[in-house]
Amino acid sequence: MPRKDAATCRVQVYLNDPRIITGLNREARSGRMPLSQAAGRAIARGLQKSPQADPDDRLQLLERSLRDHMRATARDMQIVQELLIEVARAFFPTLPDAVADQDPTVQAAVDRRIERLLDATAARIVAGRSQRDAAGPQDRSFGSAN
């Protein structure tokens, strides 16, 4: 009984990009197949609705580097926030330089100020712009501070 081959189509393609040629040669060697079959598989993957991930895929590399950058940025921001809290703890009690600075009530007021500062900062970040920008020009003198 004669074997039925799948319908084949002869296509002649000229490749000028050395990266594509190198990639096709690498795929042909790794799959132990002729170059034409490797090219056919590459075309089939390109025509699929969700192609399989390729380790050399630029989007995957971009995503990986973005994830690493986000992780490093999150770590750096945590360090900056901790430093900011320590500066605020040292700064706020010295504003009214008095013996009462060590008073637990004063320390609680300082903690409340810090919390308000962090809440206002988080609200501005969520809003995507600073509240000063939204309100327009304001008097920035010390007399207008809350």
Side-chain angles (χ1 to χ4, degrees), residues 48-76:
Q48 286 179 351
K49 295 220 184 268
S50 59
Q52 296 174 348
D54 181 26
D56 294 330
D57 186 16
R58 288 174 39 187
L59 286 177
Q60 200 172 35
L61 290 173
L62 181 63
E63 179 194 7
R64 207 173 298 134
S65 65
L66 181 61
R67 191 177 333 120
D68 293 343
H69 174 72
M70 287 171 46
R71 197 174 297 130
T73 302
R75 182 200 63 223
D76 293 346

